[in-house]
Amino acid sequence: MSNRKPNKYGVVYLGIEEALNHPKYAEIFKEHFMQLVPPSDHKFAALHGALWSGGSFVYVPKNTSVEFPLQSYYRFNAPGAGQFEHTLIILEEGADLHFIEGCSAPRYNVANLHAGCVEIFVGKGAHIKYSTVESWSKNMYNLNTKRAIVAEGGKIEWVSGSFGSRVSMLYPMGILNGRGAGMEYTGVSLASSDQDLDTGAKVVILAPDCHAFLNSKSIAKNGGKNTFRSLVKVLKNANNSRVFMDCKSLICDSQSRTDTIPVFDIRAKNADVAHEASVGRISEEQINYLRARGLSEDVAKSLIVQGFAADITKELP
């Protein structure tokens, strides 16, 4: 598939500036651009709205399934600069897409800012899986905004891996706007020394019979700090909706810290909402068991951490 023009199925994958100036797609671009994340949303959205450049535009027409993932990769190559790419994805009724986003940056001696934006419009009965792996250097301030609106019977899957940056604040949101819409969030974060990773997810349910599942695992080591922050909002018309949240944290030493901050706003009289959370340290008993079988302490700890996050990391591209 070319990223310069639509293919025979009508799927469009363009650079964001190309879409803005395209004679055929400029109108649909303008109709959706910064509608889910308006500049008035918060100060970094306003900054993004003023300075945005680069990014991806994807349009998948009705009942079209893209058989292989589309991929965008963003590389930060300037010290003391800001990055403000914008991703806009529109899926018509019955469409299906897997989109993969990768982000990385070398380390500089000055701070860098990433304030990108992702807007996804999921049509009736459509499905998208949006996978992100962020491996920023420790001088990066990652303040990204991601939001999707899902029509009747549609579904958004967020898959997120946060493995870098000095500070991250990232909470992908799904707005379930039609009966039977769904959202899944699967996230893993690793905070080491000089890192403060504040991640999580948000779901707002506006219609009945919707469902959401949030699954998060975080690891803190060498004095790193992890925070899982979430919002579940079920409005009064969203009867018979179901939400389950599961967040687990692993602390690898006495200098590290992890916090869980869930917020629930349930206004429907008939909704099933559940939350489960656990925080623990690496067990000395497990380490001694593995060392007794010939493994070094470092290898033993590594295996325990890998096992802890295995069900989520296997979802990462």
Side-chain angles (χ1 to χ4, degrees):
M1 183 188 303
S2 170
N3 65 347
R4 294 289 177 181
K5 59 184 179 181
N7 65 0
K8 64 181 180 179
Y9 300 106
V11 178
V12 181
Y13 186 18
L14 297 171
I16 199 78
E17 287 90 352
E18 292 178 82
L20 174 61
N21 298 303
H22 197 285
K24 186 174 181 180
Y25 303 108
E27 194 62 34
I28 191 171
F29 175 93
K30 293 175 183 178
E31 182 182 343
H32 293 84
F33 181 75
M34 294 209 77
Q35 295 302 304
L36 284 181
V37 186
S40 59
D41 200 75
H42 54 79
K43 63 182 179 182
F44 292 105
L47 182 65
H48 176 90
L51 301 176
W52 70 271
S53 64
S56 301
F57 172 81
V58 180
Y59 171 78
V60 185
K62 184 177 179 179
N63 295 327
T64 300
S65 178
V66 182
E67 297 179 356
F68 52 88
L70 302 184
Q71 302 182 51
S72 288
Y73 172 65
Y74 303 108
R75 173 78 172 174
F76 207 113
N77 277 327
Q83 187 177 47
F84 306 95
E85 86 284 349
H86 194 101
T87 299
L88 176 59
I89 299 176
I90 303 166
L91 276 70
E92 298 289 359
E93 180 179 347
D96 186 86
L97 173 68
H98 183 193
F99 190 88
I100 298 175
E101 173 190 72
C103 307
S104 68
R107 181 161 189 168
Y108 298 108
N109 293 324
V110 293
N112 284 342
L113 171 65
H114 176 245
C117 181
V118 176
E119 296 181 294
I120 304 176
F121 295 82
V122 184
K124 183 178 179 180
H127 167 262
I128 181 171
K129 183 176 183 179
Y130 193 99
S131 303
T132 305
V133 176
E134 296 187 342
S135 185
W136 301 114
S137 57
K138 289 186 180 180
N139 60 300
M140 179 68 71
Y141 286 77
N142 179 34
L143 308 169
N144 207 354
T145 305
K146 300 182 178 183
R147 197 166 294 168
I149 188 166
V150 187
E152 179 182 350
K155 185 176 181 181
I156 171 76
E157 292 184 63
W158 299 105
V159 179
S160 181
S162 298
F163 304 112
S165 77
R166 172 65 182 87
V167 173
S168 274
M169 298 181 73
L170 177 59
Y171 325 101
M173 172 187 276
I175 302 170
L176 307 185
N177 195 40
R179 181 183 292 271
M183 170 179 150
E184 286 189 21
Y185 169 80
T186 303
V188 60
S189 63
L190 171 63
S192 189
S193 59
D194 300 321
Q195 287 186 282
D196 185 345
L197 303 187
D198 197 316
T199 61
K202 301 178 181 180
V203 58
V204 177
I205 302 179
L206 306 177
D209 302 321
C210 293
H211 55 92
F213 175 62
L214 285 65
N215 182 21
S216 171
K217 290 191 176 180
S218 61
I219 303 160
K221 68 173 188 175
N222 299 330
K225 180 182 178 182
N226 255 317
T227 303
F228 174 79
R229 195 183 304 269
S230 64
L231 168 67
V232 175
K233 191 169 186 177
V234 183
L235 297 191
K236 63 180 181 179
N237 294 327
N239 286 312
N240 300 314
S241 292
R242 307 180 313 278
V243 181
F244 179 72
M245 183 190 305
D246 184 13
C247 48
K248 292 182 171 62
S249 301
L250 183 65
I251 301 175
C252 297
D253 52 64
S254 58
Q255 291 76 43
S256 300
R257 173 175 173 173
T258 185
D259 295 294
T260 300
I261 308 174
V263 175
F264 295 91
D265 184 354
I266 314 301
R267 306 185 186 185
K269 292 183 179 180
N270 184 13
D272 188 359
V273 179
H275 172 232
E276 179 179 320
S278 63
V279 178
R281 298 183 183 274
I282 290 182
S283 167
E284 290 295 331
E285 183 179 347
Q286 291 177 330
I287 293 175
N288 292 335
Y289 177 86
L290 293 172
R291 292 188 67 186
R293 277 145 183 81
L295 300 179
S296 68
E297 182 174 349
D298 288 342
V299 172
K301 288 182 177 179
S302 177
L303 287 175
I304 293 169
V305 170
Q306 290 178 43
F308 170 77
D311 62 326
I312 292 182
T313 55
K314 69 181 181 182
E315 297 292 331
L316 297 175

